[in-house]
Amino acid sequence: MLTKFETKSNRVKGLSFHSKRPWILASLHSGVIQLWDYRMGTLIDRFDEHDGPVRGVHFHKSQPLFVSGGDDYKIKVWNYKLHRCLFTLLGHLDYIRTVQFHHEYPWIVSASDDQTIRIWNWQSRTCISVLTGHNHYVMCATFHPKEDLVVSASLDQTVRVWDIGALRKKTVAPADDILRLSQMNTDLFGGVDAVVKYVLEGHDRGVNWASFHPTLPLIVSGADDRQVKIWRMNDTKAWEVDTLRGHMNNVSCVLFHARQDIIVSNSEDRSIRVWDATKRTGLQTFRREHDRFWILSSHPEMNLLAAGHDSGMIVFKLERERPAFSVSGDSMYYVKDRFLRFFEFSTQRDTQVIPIRRPGSSSLNQGAKTLSYSPTENAVLICSDVDGGSYELYIIPKDSFGRGDTVQEAKRGAGGSAVFVARNRFAVLEKSSNQVLVKNLKNEIVKKSAIPVVVDAIFYAGTGNLLCRAEDRAVIFDLQQRIILGELQTPFIRYVVWSHDMETVALLSKHSIIIASKKLVHQCTLHETIRVKSGAWDESGVFIYTTLNHIKYCLPNGDTGIIQTLDVPVYITKVSGNTIFCLDRDGKNRAIVIDSTEYVFKLFLLKKRYDQVMSMIRNSDLCGQAMIAYLQQKGFPEVALHFVRDERIRFNLALESGNIQVAVASAKEIDEKDHWYRLGVEALRQGNAAIVEYAYQQTKNFERLSFLYLITGNLNKLSKMLKIAEVKNDVMGQFHNALYLGDIKERVKILENAGHLPLAYTAARVHGLDDIAERLAADLGDNVPTLPEGKTTSLLMPPHPVMCSGDWPLLRVMRGIFEGGLENVGRNVEEEYEEAGDAADWGEDLDIVDVENMQNGDITAGLEDEDVHGENDEGGWDLEDLELPPEVDTPKTASNARSSVFVAPTPGMPVSQIWIQKSSLAAEHVAAGNFDTAMRLLSRQLGIRNFAPLRPLFLDLHVGSHSYLRAFSSAPVISVAIERGWSESASPNVRGPPTLVFKFSQLEEKLKAGYKATTSGKFTEALRLFLSILHTIPLIVVESRREVDEVKEFIIIVKEYVLGLKMELKRREIKDNPVRQQELAAYFTHCNLQMPHLRLALLNAMTVCYKAGNLSTAANFARRLLETNPTIENQAKTARQVLQAAEKNMKDASPLNYDFRNPFVVCGATYVPIYRGQKDVSCPYCSSRFVPDQEGQLCAVCDLSVIGSDASGLLCSSSQIR
């Protein structure tokens, strides 16, 4: 008996299997009906509306209904989907023993202690027939599975068979009137719908149960006389065939097995007995200790039985249904019925090979259990449980394929299990002595090996090795050396499946799978609630296995998933690509095509085959929450991001994978405070200051915003925050911002306005604002606070920002393995930022969105308030000035001797000194702190005399190329030089050049910002940006000659803009000189500008001249504008209109110092044209041109160099010196 499921409950009186689902109904003596899933082992539902015991219960074959009958005289019809009773049928006058649905008609038959059987129509909810005739309790009544018969058993010691053919005819509407008339008569005068066909007498006591054979005209009955009787019937009579004796007490239930030729009965003697229906002998008996059996039920489709007893029920099977098989390469041998068969996977050819002996079944479960095959010798070992475990050895003749009729005498032997261990050797387990016998093909023992652990089964484990199953472990045993090669704690193993390369093994037990290496080193364990049935390895090393209702996979790391659902259990024999070959319980070969995308995808992820992963993402339709959760759990949120559409999940995944762009896009869609806050935290972690700022702006988080501007050094925005705090009347915010800015006057003003006069006075006095302090002292009168004596006050000034470039180089978020693969995600975000910056005059309302090109303030901002000297020019260990007396010679100790004297290491050359010696680049001298040599170099190379604009840059460069470490509170701070391009592999003796805070890429960003400001007409801002580029270029260092050319080109571009913008700003200042205004506007159009800016300059000049009546000149600008093919229609339209107006009157109202036909350059100081052929002088740095009398003056364009001085030219790369 193979028990599949057991329950503990009150006494079970009625049982019914569902025909399709793995469900069973159990009705209890307590009045409860339980609905169990016997496959999962779970209670699905309980129904308790009956009073007192429920003795009968039955599922409908196709509707979601079941019927129950109890001791409350009620028959209830339930809908299990709605979890309720639909209606109750009343009519019986005593306990109801059994109820059953008809397999075809809407009928229910019920048997009752009121000595009647009733047939009900459950659709019309009426009783359609009452069968009377028994004169004691009717214990059971059932419909015949095919014919119009009912069998009933009663305590009046008879079994009756009733013919209900008339009832069926009555239900199926009669065709003509005559029949209908006779129908009415029978209805009126108590017509006979059901007549007794036979009364079977033979039992000496009351009969408890009777049931039909599913196909043959047989009836089996069980009674209180402890006998089971078999009856046969034909059309006219019925007679007793045989009696089965053996039960010790009342037989409570008996039935024919649906699939095998057996009878199963149970009894109050606490046993279930199995009888051979043809030989009429007992086959097996199963006993319980204390529980009497009351009811049996068999599954309508499957090989399952259930029995109810005093303390619950059991669902069981009488025989194993797994066919024995052995796979070898492309073929498989398996046992079906009484034949050994051969199946070829590639051609799916199935042939019968030879008949095998079938034991005379003296008991059940004696079919082939395992099969082992030796391909070279074409030999097959078949093991079964016959005689307590035995094997048979068949040598398959080469020519017998397809005939399969020659009975061959097998070589037999006793043994728990037998497997081939070599080409012509097999091992047999002898359980009594716990040793393995190795035999040859003649069945002769070649050698014996005792196994050091007690084992109860052996499996193949490679040539010469056995995998032995002990009670709680598995061991690999080497037959040659007679030693254990490996062992592993396991649950009770049922099957062993080796991978193709014999490197990995899967050990299958009832509810778990353990995967281990060939030496039994544990790799992973899976637990399944539903029983594991079989498994096989696919080519890529994934284990595919089946449970009762699923095909599943297991990856090498233990991750599992479902491939598909099964209707009936199958046993996998081989996995080939997308096809799974398997045997079903009837021994038929099936090929199931599966979708392996999911597990192949996960396998590629696991094996880091990312190219394959990417192609699968693009080409397959993997999706679903499970996949996303899997990717997230395995640390691939950026891949999961590709599958998700829900913005909140996208946001979380984007943050997890560090994909800020997608996170911003999702945060915009969601637009909730919490999401902006989390975005800010992540952006801060990555050092993306611009997005941190954006996130804080969205949540109006002004305190964080101010602090952000402080640490990113954005003093401009900080001063704007001060104004915002003023507008919002946020005194504390004002004070904080003033503190961050180091604006002492503002702080004093805020304290005074807030009424904190003593604090205001103290702040003014300490910071040396004496006039304000005196005014406040007058207001305070006698309450002037006294400042402590003898203390030197230190001013509360914030340090100035070293680097103010956009983002910090804090964290590089790796683009990861899927480089560029998921590019399209988040692309739209950047474009949004780009456009948002074009709106003129941004900043006041704080909706700053330009993330890409956002300027975080300028480095030159406000260093004037404080006097900072480059005194950090420290040199190494300052030990030179130790004056040691000459007689102390520091002894040179031998390396192995222990020295008692500490010898100080000789001081090396400070890194900053090495930098100066090695370099003739001004920027590197500045970084080293040697400002004088740097100034001399700049003067020699670029003729620079005015170093005031460069002072803050010098300080930034020097501070930025050093780090400062504090060792102890008493020790001085140690300055450490930071080298450019340092790596751990570099030699410690070779010093690299200094790290520089100014990079060429920053200038490119600034240039873009300058262009943008020019476009939107913010000329002062644009001029500040362009000048800051001109001032930074002398301190830029680049690597290659190509970059040197780019830097020089930059100077020319920027110089043109500075000159043009200065002229335009000058023009705007002149109010009373229209001629000069026109000239400056005209000169602006001759600066070398970008096309959009040139068009604007031409439009501007055209407008100015047209308004002043200089139509001829205006027409010239209009022509030049049209030649540029303006993209904005409005510009072109205006130009055409000006041309038309000018053609009527080609005159100039006032003469200008401007001749557009004669090429010229504009003097950078006097803004007059220098025509071709006239003398001029130029600036050695920015190459601006000037009239000769400007020689020796400071260049008005770059504000650095002396016009006309000698200079060797810009040196900004070591490649220029080599």
Side-chain angles (χ1 to χ4, degrees):
M1 180 185 200
L2 304 160
T3 305
K4 297 293 172 189
F5 173 57
E6 261 194 273
T7 67
K8 294 275 180 285
S9 69
N10 213 297
R11 183 184 304 168
V12 174
K13 299 297 282 183
L15 287 172
S16 174
F17 279 103
H18 194 283
S19 59
K20 297 286 180 286
R21 302 192 184 190
W23 292 352
I24 187 167
L25 275 171
S27 63
L28 311 186
H29 202 266
S30 61
V32 175
I33 301 165
Q34 295 177 331
L35 175 57
W36 292 91
D37 183 321
Y38 53 81
R39 196 178 274 175
M40 292 285 286
T42 51
L43 179 65
I44 297 172
D45 210 341
R46 54 200 302 276
F47 307 90
D48 47 358
E49 284 186 26
H50 280 286
D51 285 336
V54 183
R55 296 175 191 275
V57 69
H58 191 240
F59 265 120
H60 193 280
K61 189 179 172 185
S62 54
Q63 300 290 329
L65 303 176
F66 69 88
V67 60
S68 62
D71 286 8
D72 53 4
Y73 314 168
K74 289 176 183 166
I75 295 171
K76 287 181 176 283
V77 175
W78 311 74
N79 183 318
Y80 56 74
K81 281 191 179 165
L82 304 176
H83 310 286
R84 64 186 181 86
C85 172
L86 298 181
F87 53 88
T88 304
L89 300 171
L90 300 172
H92 279 297
L93 308 171
D94 207 336
Y95 297 171
I96 295 160
R97 294 282 175 177
T98 64
V99 283
Q100 185 199 8
F101 279 111
H102 192 275
H103 56 88
E104 192 178 340
Y105 294 112
W107 294 346
I108 293 167
V109 65
S110 58
S112 163
D113 285 4
D114 64 7
Q115 305 181 14
T116 67
I117 298 150
R118 285 177 180 257
I119 297 175
W120 314 77
N121 182 323
W122 56 263
Q123 285 178 341
S124 62
R125 304 184 187 183
T126 53
C127 175
I128 54 172
S129 188
V130 181
L131 283 57
T132 54
H134 282 295
N135 48 31
H136 207 307
Y137 301 165
V138 185
M139 299 302 284
C140 89
T142 50
F143 287 116
H144 191 282
K146 304 234 171 14
E147 297 170 36
D148 298 326
L149 298 175
V150 170
V151 66
S152 61
S154 163
L155 294 189
D156 63 8
Q157 304 179 13
T158 66
V159 173
R160 289 178 180 242
V161 178
W162 312 77
D163 186 341
I164 53 166
L167 188 66
R168 185 176 63 83
K169 289 197 184 91
K170 180 177 160 186
T171 305
V172 181
D176 51 28
D177 295 344
I178 299 169
L179 272 172
R180 198 173 286 136
L181 215 92
S182 66
Q183 175 86 46
M184 281 163 61
N185 283 340
T186 50
D187 283 358
L188 283 169
F189 303 111
V192 206
D193 295 330
V195 289
V196 177
K197 198 168 184 188
Y198 319 113
V199 178
L200 311 177
E201 295 175 314
H203 283 290
D204 301 336
R205 295 273 182 87
V207 187
N208 290 317
W209 203 268
S211 61
F212 287 115
H213 190 285
T215 51
L216 301 172
L218 295 176
I219 293 170
V220 65
S221 61
D224 288 351
D225 60 6
R226 306 175 188 179
Q227 293 173 4
V228 172
K229 286 188 184 288
I230 302 169
W231 315 79
R232 194 174 196 94
M233 56 184 183
N234 60 16
D235 288 344
T236 54
K237 61 180 194 283
W239 63 96
E240 183 181 333
V241 179
D242 209 340
T243 303
L244 307 174
R245 293 181 173 81
H247 280 295
M248 309 295 187
N249 205 333
N250 304 346
V251 180
S252 44
C253 190
V254 60
L255 41 87
F256 287 104
H257 193 286
R259 299 197 158 204
Q260 289 158 286
D261 216 4
I262 52 177
I263 292 167
V264 186
S265 63
N266 65 8
S267 154
E268 294 177 40
D269 67 3
R270 303 192 283 280
S271 74
I272 298 176
R273 285 178 186 257
V274 183
W275 316 82
D276 185 321
T278 43
K279 296 184 181 168
R280 298 167 198 154
T281 54
L283 288 176
Q284 262 173 311
T285 306
F286 309 109
R287 298 184 187 281
R288 281 187 79 84
E289 289 286 307
H290 307 295
D291 301 315
R292 296 167 297 175
F293 282 102
W294 297 103
I295 182 75
L296 273 173
S297 176
S298 69
H299 196 289
E301 317 269 327
M302 285 155 61
N303 187 9
L304 279 178
L305 293 162
H309 51 75
D310 280 338
S311 59
M313 61 143 170
I314 45 174
V315 175
F316 61 98
K317 205 188 263 191
L318 292 172
E319 283 200 291
R320 295 172 83 251
E321 292 180 281
R322 180 193 176 98
F325 64 87
S326 172
V327 177
S328 165
D330 185 44
S331 57
M332 170 183 72
Y333 285 91
Y334 68 102
V335 175
K336 181 180 178 183
D337 300 332
R338 289 183 19 258
F339 292 96
L340 178 69
R341 299 182 70 91
F342 169 83
F343 179 73
E344 198 169 22
F345 293 112
S346 52
T347 59
Q348 301 206 19
R349 184 168 61 94
D350 194 343
T351 42
Q352 195 164 295
V353 185
I354 50 171
I356 52 177
R357 188 183 73 93
R358 188 136 186 241
S361 68
S362 56
S363 70
L364 293 163
N365 255 339
Q366 307 226 318
K369 201 168 180 181
T370 62
L371 192 149
S372 181
Y373 172 65
S374 167
T376 45
E377 302 296 324
N378 223 19
V380 169
L381 271 173
I382 295 174
C383 300
S384 64
D385 285 343
V386 177
D387 310 327
S390 61
Y391 66 87
E392 293 167 16
L393 173 63
Y394 295 91
I395 310 290
I396 303 168
K398 288 275 182 282
D399 56 353
S400 73
F401 271 75
R403 297 227 307 281
D405 47 8
T406 51
V407 178
Q408 180 194 2
E409 198 44 49
K411 299 182 173 65
R412 295 198 178 82
S417 45
V419 287
F420 280 104
V421 288
R423 183 173 61 83
N424 54 2
R425 296 280 185 275
F426 63 93
V428 181
L429 175 65
E430 194 179 68
K431 280 189 185 170
S432 53
S433 60
N434 197 48
Q435 57 182 357
V436 170
L437 315 175
V438 179
K439 300 188 174 188
N440 61 15
L441 295 184
K442 293 177 182 164
N443 210 11
E444 299 158 342
I445 296 177
V446 181
K447 78 178 207 189
K448 295 185 178 182
S449 304
I451 307 177
V453 287
V454 181
V455 300
D456 61 359
I458 56 174
F459 303 93
Y460 175 66
T463 305
N465 292 346
L466 288 174
L467 193 147
C468 308
R469 174 180 78 193
E471 193 177 1
D472 60 341
R473 73 187 64 186
V475 297
I476 298 266
F477 182 68
D478 186 321
L479 287 165
Q480 302 300 115
Q481 306 172 56
R482 303 187 183 185
I483 54 165
I484 288 178
L485 299 178
E487 71 171 272
L488 183 62
Q489 293 280 330
T490 63
F492 185 78
I493 300 167
R494 300 169 68 195
Y495 310 108
V496 171
V497 186
W498 286 91
S499 61
H500 303 308
D501 54 5
M502 293 299 287
E503 288 296 316
T504 331
V505 64
L507 308 172
L508 279 59
S509 63
K510 204 170 195 172
H511 288 286
S512 64
I513 296 175
I514 294 177
I515 292 180
S517 72
K518 65 176 174 188
K519 291 275 166 67
L520 289 189
V521 178
H522 179 265
Q523 287 175 3
C524 62
T525 304
L526 314 180
H527 293 286
E528 289 288 344
T529 42
I530 298 183
R531 289 193 297 284
V532 178
K533 282 294 167 196
S534 66
W537 294 88
D538 90 339
E539 294 92 339
S540 54
V542 176
F543 187 63
I544 310 291
Y545 64 99
T546 62
T547 62
L548 274 173
N549 54 358
H550 287 122
I551 301 177
K552 304 179 92 169
Y553 64 83
C554 169
L555 298 179
N557 64 346
D559 289 335
T560 65
I562 294 175
I563 297 173
Q564 72 181 63
T565 309
L566 291 170
D567 302 331
V568 289
V570 294
Y571 303 93
I572 296 183
T573 52
K574 184 184 171 81
V575 182
S576 170
N578 273 3
T579 310
I580 292 181
F581 292 100
C582 50
L583 278 166
D584 63 14
R585 285 179 161 172
D586 297 331
K588 290 195 189 80
N589 276 291
R590 289 171 54 178
I592 301 174
V593 177
I594 56 161
D595 176 9
S596 60
T597 323
E598 182 184 323
Y599 74 75
V600 172
F601 179 78
K602 290 181 178 179
L603 186 70
F604 285 150
L605 264 185
L606 184 67
K607 291 188 170 173
K608 301 189 167 51
R609 301 265 301 281
Y610 299 128
D611 49 338
Q612 304 277 22
V613 171
M614 280 311 304
S615 75
M616 287 190 75
I617 287 176
R618 289 200 193 93
N619 305 329
S620 73
D621 48 359
L622 280 162
C623 201
Q625 289 294 332
M627 203 52 165
I628 292 160
Y630 178 84
L631 288 164
Q632 203 170 353
Q633 170 202 343
K634 287 287 173 260
F636 296 106
E638 70 276 23
V639 186
L641 199 53
H642 182 76
F643 297 121
V644 187
R645 295 287 164 267
D646 180 279
E647 288 298 347
R648 285 167 197 276
I649 301 174
R650 272 181 83 79
F651 179 80
N652 292 334
L653 287 171
L655 281 198
E656 203 174 318
S657 58
N659 191 334
I660 276 291
Q661 298 311 17
V662 176
V664 172
S666 294
K668 278 183 160 183
E669 290 297 322
I670 301 165
D671 199 20
E672 283 176 13
K673 204 166 182 178
D674 174 52
H675 287 75
W676 284 119
Y677 171 71
R678 285 171 54 207
L679 175 68
V681 171
E682 173 61 20
L684 199 57
R685 190 181 75 83
Q686 290 188 18
N688 194 330
I691 290 189
V692 181
E693 177 182 5
Y694 183 45
Y696 287 168
Q697 286 167 3
Q698 292 301 318
T699 52
K700 299 278 188 286
N701 204 330
F702 295 123
E703 290 84 357
R704 284 174 194 275
L705 211 45
S706 293
F707 193 68
L708 177 75
Y709 292 144
L710 172 71
I711 53 177
T712 53
N714 198 333
L715 301 178
N716 293 359
K717 297 264 179 76
L718 253 181
S719 44
K720 284 184 182 164
M721 292 305 294
L722 179 62
K723 285 180 193 149
I724 288 171
E726 235 171 279
V727 172
K728 289 174 64 68
N729 200 13
D730 173 6
V731 179
M732 208 63 216
Q734 271 174 277
F735 188 75
H736 280 160
N737 285 312
L739 195 60
Y740 295 159
L741 279 164
D743 187 341
I744 181 60
K745 285 185 178 164
E746 186 67 30
R747 289 215 299 276
V748 172
K749 190 176 101 183
I750 292 165
L751 288 168
E752 189 180 352
N753 292 347
H756 290 291
L757 293 182
L759 280 176
Y761 168 79
T762 310
R765 175 65 70 206
V766 168
H767 287 83
L769 303 174
D770 295 334
D771 46 346
I772 299 177
E774 280 159 18
R775 180 170 63 71
L776 290 167
D779 291 353
L780 282 163
D782 299 340
N783 299 333
V784 177
T786 53
L787 301 183
E789 293 296 319
K791 288 221 172 167
T792 52
T793 54
S794 59
L795 305 186
L796 199 58
M797 289 298 207
H800 274 275
V802 178
M803 271 182 72
C804 306
S805 66
D807 296 334
W808 311 320
L810 271 191
L811 177 77
R812 280 175 55 221
V813 177
M814 295 305 290
R815 286 288 295 285
I817 47 193
F818 302 101
E819 193 69 62
L822 309 172
E823 278 294 43
N824 50 357
V825 186
R827 176 88 39 84
N828 48 5
V829 188
E830 297 177 24
E831 287 151 15
E832 255 178 75
Y833 289 151
E834 286 294 344
E835 290 155 23
D838 292 343
D841 215 46
W842 40 273
E844 291 304 334
D845 54 352
L846 269 183
D847 284 339
I848 307 164
V849 191
D850 177 39
V851 174
E852 295 302 312
N853 305 320
M854 189 181 283
Q855 284 301 308
N856 280 357
D858 201 78
I859 301 158
T860 54
L863 261 172
E864 287 76 35
D865 331 13
E866 131 188 35
D867 199 22
V868 181
H869 297 293
E871 65 252 26
N872 294 324
D873 180 11
E874 303 178 14
W877 300 84
D878 285 336
L879 298 175
E880 285 82 5
D881 47 357
L882 268 183
E883 292 175 14
L884 292 173
E887 65 269 19
V888 178
D889 246 8
T890 45
K892 289 198 164 58
T893 50
S895 59
N896 55 358
R898 296 207 31 196
S899 164
S900 56
V901 181
F902 167 69
V903 183
T906 52
M909 188 187 282
V911 180
S912 47
Q913 207 170 325
I914 299 174
W915 286 346
I916 296 165
Q917 285 179 1
K918 285 172 76 173
S919 171
S920 52
L921 299 176
E924 298 190 349
H925 283 249
V926 172
N930 214 336
F931 292 176
D932 349 341
T933 55
M935 284 150 83
R936 274 203 293 280
L937 282 169
L938 287 172
S939 188
R940 200 163 58 232
Q941 291 165 7
L942 299 172
I944 295 179
R945 189 205 293 162
N946 176 22
F947 286 97
L950 300 183
R951 179 170 167 259
L953 308 186
F954 272 36
L955 292 172
D956 289 348
L957 257 187
H958 174 55
V959 176
S961 59
H962 287 73
S963 184
Y964 300 92
L965 305 177
R966 178 131 189 211
F968 317 108
S969 51
S970 57
V973 172
I974 301 167
S975 120
V976 181
I978 306 171
E979 295 167 30
R980 182 158 81 246
W982 181 85
S983 76
E984 290 189 33
S985 55
S987 154
N989 302 323
V990 179
R991 289 300 184 185
T995 244
L996 302 175
V997 290
F998 301 127
K999 296 188 179 55
F1000 188 44
S1001 57
Q1002 297 166 355
L1003 297 190
E1004 290 176 330
E1005 293 294 314
K1006 259 193 193 163
L1007 183 67
K1008 283 184 194 165
Y1011 282 163
K1012 204 165 211 177
T1014 310
T1015 310
S1016 50
K1018 299 178 186 164
F1019 294 142
T1020 319
E1021 170 75 358
L1023 183 60
R1024 187 180 67 73
L1025 287 165
F1026 287 127
L1027 272 172
S1028 120
I1029 295 174
L1030 270 185
H1031 294 166
T1032 315
I1033 285 178
L1035 301 178
I1036 284 288
V1037 173
V1038 292
E1039 297 301 321
S1040 65
R1041 291 304 289 259
R1042 187 176 59 77
E1043 289 177 304
V1044 173
D1045 296 340
E1046 284 179 15
V1047 173
K1048 288 181 175 171
E1049 197 182 314
F1050 240 65
I1051 299 174
I1052 305 299
I1053 294 171
V1054 173
K1055 173 263 296 190
E1056 291 286 336
Y1057 270 90
V1058 172
L1059 175 60
L1061 290 170
K1062 282 193 167 181
M1063 288 193 294
E1064 180 58 22
L1065 289 168
K1066 176 92 172 143
R1067 180 185 74 76
R1068 293 186 175 194
E1069 284 167 23
I1070 302 168
K1071 292 281 183 283
D1072 50 359
N1073 189 344
V1075 172
R1076 184 65 176 146
Q1077 274 192 338
Q1078 289 175 69
E1079 286 173 356
L1080 289 174
Y1083 302 155
F1084 190 16
T1085 69
H1086 287 266
C1087 295
N1088 193 356
L1089 306 176
Q1090 295 280 321
M1091 191 53 80
H1093 301 149
L1094 179 61
R1095 287 185 192 129
L1096 290 169
L1098 286 166
L1099 195 66
N1100 181 34
M1102 180 178 81
T1103 314
V1104 173
C1105 293
Y1106 186 76
K1107 283 181 181 168
N1110 280 13
L1111 299 185
S1112 174
T1113 313
N1116 162 48
F1117 292 132
R1119 252 182 242 107
R1120 280 176 62 196
L1121 179 57
L1122 288 169
E1123 280 164 17
T1124 67
N1125 295 325
T1127 47
I1128 299 169
E1129 185 49 43
N1130 209 12
Q1131 291 179 355
K1133 190 174 162 194
T1134 316
R1136 285 193 210 98
Q1137 288 170 341
V1138 169
L1139 265 178
Q1140 282 170 0
E1143 275 163 9
K1144 295 171 192 162
N1145 182 14
M1146 269 294 195
K1147 279 196 189 132
D1148 277 355
S1150 45
L1152 304 177
N1153 180 9
Y1154 171 61
D1155 177 5
F1156 61 84
R1157 293 177 192 81
N1158 194 353
F1160 67 86
V1161 288
V1162 181
C1163 166
T1166 57
Y1167 306 141
V1168 295
I1170 305 171
Y1171 289 102
R1172 188 179 288 170
Q1174 292 180 346
K1175 277 192 173 174
D1176 62 2
V1177 282
S1178 65
C1179 166
Y1181 167 42
C1182 69
S1183 71
S1184 299
R1185 311 275 274 284
F1186 298 88
V1187 291
D1189 61 355
Q1190 289 289 326
E1191 191 164 358
Q1193 301 295 320
L1194 203 60
C1195 169
V1197 177
C1198 63
D1199 198 23
L1200 296 174
S1201 300
V1202 176
I1203 299 167
S1205 58
D1206 280 338
S1208 59
L1210 177 69
L1211 203 58
C1212 63
S1213 171
S1214 47
S1215 64
Q1216 290 170 277
I1217 304 157
R1218 288 189 196 117

